[in-house]
Amino acid sequence: MSAGVSTLRTARAEGAATDPAAMTGAEAAAQIARGALSVEELARAALARTDRLEPMVRAFSWLDRDRILRRAREADKPRAGKGPRGGLHGLMLAVKDMIDTADMPTQHNSPLYIDHRPGQDAAVVAICRAEEALIVGKADTHEFASGGRLAASRNPHDLAHTPGGSSSGSGAAIAAGFAHLALGTQTGGSVLRPASFCGIFGMKPTWGTVSQEGAKLYAVSLDTMGWYGRSVGDLALMAQATRAVRRPVKPRKTLRGTRIGLCRTPWWETGSDAMKAATERAAVLLRDAGATVVDFDLPEGFEQLNDMQNKVMRGEGRAAFLADYLRHGTRLHQDFRDRVEDADAIGWEGLRRAQDFCAACRPRFDAAMQGWDALLVPGALGAAPRDLTTTGDPMFQRAWTALHVPCIGLPGFADANGMPLGVQLIGPRHADAELLELAAAAARALGAAAVNPVDPTEPRP
Amino acid sequence: MSAGVSTLRTARAEGAATDPAAMTGAEAAAQIARGALSVEELARAALARTDRLEPMVRAFSWLDRDRILRRAREADKPRAGKGPRGGLHGLMLAVKDMIDTADMPTQHNSPLYIDHRPGQDAAVVAICRAEEALIVGKADTHEFASGGRLAASRNPHDLAHTPGGSSSGSGAAIAAGFAHLALGTQTGGSVLRPASFCGIFGMKPTWGTVSQEGAKLYAVSLDTMGWYGRSVGDLALMAQATRAVRRPVKPRKTLRGTRIGLCRTPWWETGSDAMKAATERAAVLLRDAGATVVDFDLPEGFEQLNDMQNKVMRGEGRAAFLADYLRHGTRLHQDFRDRVEDADAIGWEGLRRAQDFCAACRPRFDAAMQGWDALLVPGALGAAPRDLTTTGDPMFQRAWTALHVPCIGLPGFADANGMPLGVQLIGPRHADAELLELAAAAARALGAAAVNPVDPTEPRP
């Protein structure tokens, strides 16, 4: 490949794993269903990795390994007469630590919420429990998922690099094999950016299809629940469990007959050479696999979407932090006081214009997508920065969040340093099932139908 | 007046109350500030009414009178060196029982949430506590503020009549003088309809200006926090405390120079004769007081807004009840199972069209409001139905909720049976302060700058 872009070293085919520690959630679920693997074995394999690597990776803000084993053993007990197992039975799930859990703290990585214990699960957590996921712990997050204190998590591919954010620990936990599935949230780029940086699969479903109740709200017209896994099958399991999709996902066997727009976006030139090369390479691979891949330009005016998304986020964010502002004053991090005080001077009119602009773009995007199955876009600006004081830039995520459309992050590439480079597939609103079905075939075409967990190496000198 | 419409018997001028039990929140705050009234006296006066009348009115789903007195005495203690009192200091606040309170149950009027205790306050509750409101209890609500089981609350003007809903107990508590202020929510018409039915003042601010965090979410693009009081001054206190307005509210001294559109709306003919007469009478009174009041027609296509709002509400509501659906199955009321299962067959496309339609109308409404200070519209379809199995119809509220605009409900009229008839003032988005300032003068012009609490009478035979 060009510009020093190569295949991601953790990429593999699906169904190839025999080691429980390497299985994707979907692979493990199949093994458990046929009685070839117990939930306890699966949990022990993940816990062994966690025991060994978590001190370096720091994905979790809260973890109780003994409880995980007790629950795993409980999950293996026969359940006479209780009907079929839940869709996430036995799979280990990490929950971003700004989503409430009734039986674990929810600390938001904020000094103001140390050992904070809400008395109830967030809606999505209750849903995952009802589907029998094994919730393993709370994944570290950028403070309140929006600013302030960075997560302590590091990129398992190279610990000197950020895993991205704000869903930092969620991405890291999946990449390192500490859990099969992880919940994140996206208001700007906080699910899909870590997916690209950490070389894993990520999904942001259509806005509004999964309840935000019990998660820290930031900008209500943008906030979207999302998730990670190590294959499209994992993403589909979560999409089905949460009813983001309302029919079974039937992965496409081939890309023949599909029409994919290569959308460099107005921000293409800000991307690194390696990311551009990875995106162009992905287009070639998809075309080789039978898809029609043709250049696609966003409709006129869409180049303003990043700026408009930012205004909506900060403008709606004024309401999000007022309670803590009044309660804690200057103990609240400046970033959040700035939101309350409208330090960016967005103003009400600026907010309205931005909200109305984003809203008007949504039906225009759907119309532009007539005849197209998906867009192929860069996964992020580049590989994860070698810098633990940043989470990177959501330049290639903001617009899709504002458009409310489903996004799937596929791994497969790496730069000259072996750091992951992913791509995104974007669909029209509510075409989440179709997008998953196409993404399954696309992932195979990219040579990364699944990824193995990665063992962190010491940072390069 | 015509059609048997008269002045509401509880209507009065502001500043006229000497009995603490009759004072508005704003009047009481002024008395407390000058040292003429203690918080404990004020609380005892309200509690005396509650002790006597709550068994009939049933506004509360949870109430702890002894705690109220302890907190009132605490509020009267000197606070050397602690800075100015909060904006709601000493005022009694009821909280709709689908908004979380850390120290009181949040039961949603659902059999699935009996004695449910979240471990944290909702954002708006935390804000009101920071502003030193005295939270007196939880106001009964339609189940999950959206369907299922009706609140047990009755209309204090006549106990055989509904107080409206879903903020049933909040409206009843204010009308009966059990609290000075009450929190409600509106996704369809659930703040402003009870305001009209109960002869009190209500406000739904611009969408997104007050956090919904910690309230039951229903349709995220519609859900709006709101409140009640017995004067515009009370509404302004809440608007300032929640920062729905970001500058001090300076009530207009006169309506001269204002331009108000009499907007009968496309639903005018469904209104009762009495409501039509009250609205027309309000137009005359505002004109007599110096406002220019001219007929105003909504832009073309707006007649679809009610239907579109309903589709957005039900379509977005699909995500709202999934957790309880999975956890509780058929123990969850059919209304909520219907939402999850899309029993209305709205579908994703129907939802998108409705969302996009409502969004497109918002800037069009703002443009149409250029040169107008407010619209005058009916308060509700008619007076409160004499029927405790319904909360009435949100026909005259839905559109404004969908448009995200601020709404203020003003009382002042009554039908031939003495049942209240109110009107609404509607402003453009984010003009909440201006709307309050105009509403203060409008309320005076309607002869109802404030209302007294009402003593419930036994139902008419």
Side-chain angles (χ1 to χ4, degrees), chain B residues 111-125:
Chain B
L112 305 175
Y113 282 79
I114 291 172
D115 204 39
H116 174 67
R117 298 207 175 230
Q120 55 197 4
D121 282 337
V124 68
V125 170

Side-chain angles (χ1 to χ4, degrees), chain B residues 208-230:
Chain B
T209 55
V210 181
S211 176
Q212 290 294 113
E213 197 170 301
K216 177 69 193 165
L217 304 183
Y218 181 14
V220 172
S221 76
L222 299 174
D223 296 338
T224 317
M225 199 60 64
W227 42 83
Y228 298 102
R230 287 190 286 103

Side-chain angles (χ1 to χ4, degrees), chain B residues 26-69:
Chain B
E27 290 167 343
Q31 296 293 327
I32 289 169
R34 75 170 62 100
L37 182 66
S38 72
V39 176
E40 188 180 351
E41 283 176 88
L42 186 67
R44 285 191 180 281
L47 281 170
R49 293 190 59 80
T50 309
D51 289 343
R52 183 165 57 87
L53 303 169
E54 168 63 359
M56 283 187 274
V57 173
R58 302 195 57 190
F60 292 105
S61 47
W62 195 90
L63 183 69
D64 181 345
R65 63 184 314 292
D66 296 331
R67 182 195 294 204
I68 296 164
L69 283 171

Side-chain angles (χ1 to χ4, degrees), chain B residues 143-400:
Chain B
E143 193 172 355
F144 298 122
S146 49
R149 191 160 74 177
L150 286 168
S153 311
R154 303 156 83 188
N155 194 316
H157 286 265
D158 185 318
L159 300 169
H161 293 243
T162 175
S166 62
S167 311
S168 314
S170 298
I174 295 303
F178 301 162
H180 305 100
L181 306 166
L183 285 170
T185 62
Q186 178 155 319
T187 301
S190 296
V191 172
L192 272 299
R193 179 161 89 263
S196 185
F197 283 3
C198 292
I200 57 177
F201 294 74
M203 179 170 186
K204 183 200 81 61
T206 298
W207 179 89
T209 55
V210 181
S211 176
Q212 290 294 113
E213 197 170 301
K216 177 69 193 165
L217 304 183
Y218 181 14
V220 172
S221 76
L222 299 174
D223 296 338
T224 317
M225 199 60 64
W227 42 83
Y228 298 102
R230 287 190 286 103
S231 69
V232 172
D234 292 350
L235 302 181
L237 282 174
M238 287 295 291
Q240 285 167 158
T242 58
R243 277 53 170 194
V245 298
R246 294 269 173 161
R247 63 170 180 75
V249 173
K250 287 176 285 220
R252 275 179 181 273
K253 296 203 183 320
T254 170
L255 288 175
R256 264 187 289 276
T258 66
R259 189 173 164 81
I260 296 173
L262 170 55
C263 181
R264 293 179 180 78
T265 80
W267 310 288
W268 178 253
E269 288 310 322
T270 60
S272 71
D273 289 345
M275 179 55 79
K276 290 182 209 172
T279 309
E280 304 270 13
R281 176 64 180 158
V284 167
L285 290 169
L286 297 178
R287 194 180 289 126
D288 288 351
T292 299
V293 184
V294 179
D295 284 0
F296 180 101
D297 292 321
L298 290 169
E300 191 177 322
F302 276 45
E303 66 280 359
Q304 298 184 62
L305 267 174
N306 273 12
D307 181 58
M308 292 294 178
Q309 180 277 341
N310 191 40
K311 288 189 161 80
V312 172
M313 185 172 71
R314 289 173 176 238
E316 288 186 8
R318 293 176 75 179
F321 305 106
L322 178 64
D324 281 327
Y325 179 93
L326 292 178
R327 281 193 287 207
H328 301 293
T330 54
R331 291 178 57 222
L332 180 68
H333 192 286
Q334 185 73 54
D335 283 357
F336 311 113
R337 287 184 272 136
D338 284 350
R339 296 291 80 70
V340 172
E341 295 170 1
D342 192 23
D344 302 290
I346 291 166
W348 292 132
E349 185 181 348
L351 172 58
R352 282 198 299 285
R353 284 168 171 264
Q355 288 170 324
D356 295 341
F357 183 93
C358 293
C361 285
R362 292 169 197 142
R364 292 178 64 207
F365 182 77
D366 288 351
M369 289 296 283
Q370 290 290 319
W372 300 85
D373 294 293
L375 300 183
L376 170 69
V377 308
L381 266 190
R386 182 183 162 84
D387 184 350
L388 295 171
T389 68
T390 178
T391 64
D393 191 303
M395 182 86 63
F396 282 100
Q397 275 80 35
R398 290 184 192 272
W400 321 116

Side-chain angles (χ1 to χ4, degrees), chain A residues 116 120 220 246 340 356 429, chain B residues 116 120 246 340 356 429:
Chain A
H116 173 69
Q120 56 199 1
V220 171
R246 293 270 173 160
V340 173
D356 295 341
R429 283 179 297 176
Chain B
H116 174 67
Q120 55 197 4
R246 294 269 173 161
V340 172
D356 295 341
R429 281 179 299 174

Side-chain angles (χ1 to χ4, degrees), chain A residues 1 3-10 154-164 175 193-200 272 274-275 278 380-388 411-423 454-460:
Chain A
M1 288 182 225
V5 170
S6 58
T7 302
L8 182 67
R9 63 193 162 99
T10 50
R154 302 156 82 187
N155 193 316
H157 287 266
D158 186 318
L159 300 169
H161 293 243
T162 175
R193 179 162 88 263
S196 185
F197 284 1
C198 292
I200 56 176
S272 71
M275 180 54 80
L381 267 191
R386 183 183 161 82
D387 184 349
L388 294 171
F413 307 98
D415 70 4
N417 296 317
M419 290 306 293
L421 298 160
V423 295
V454 67
D455 271 29
T457 56
E458 283 306 316
R460 291 172 287 104

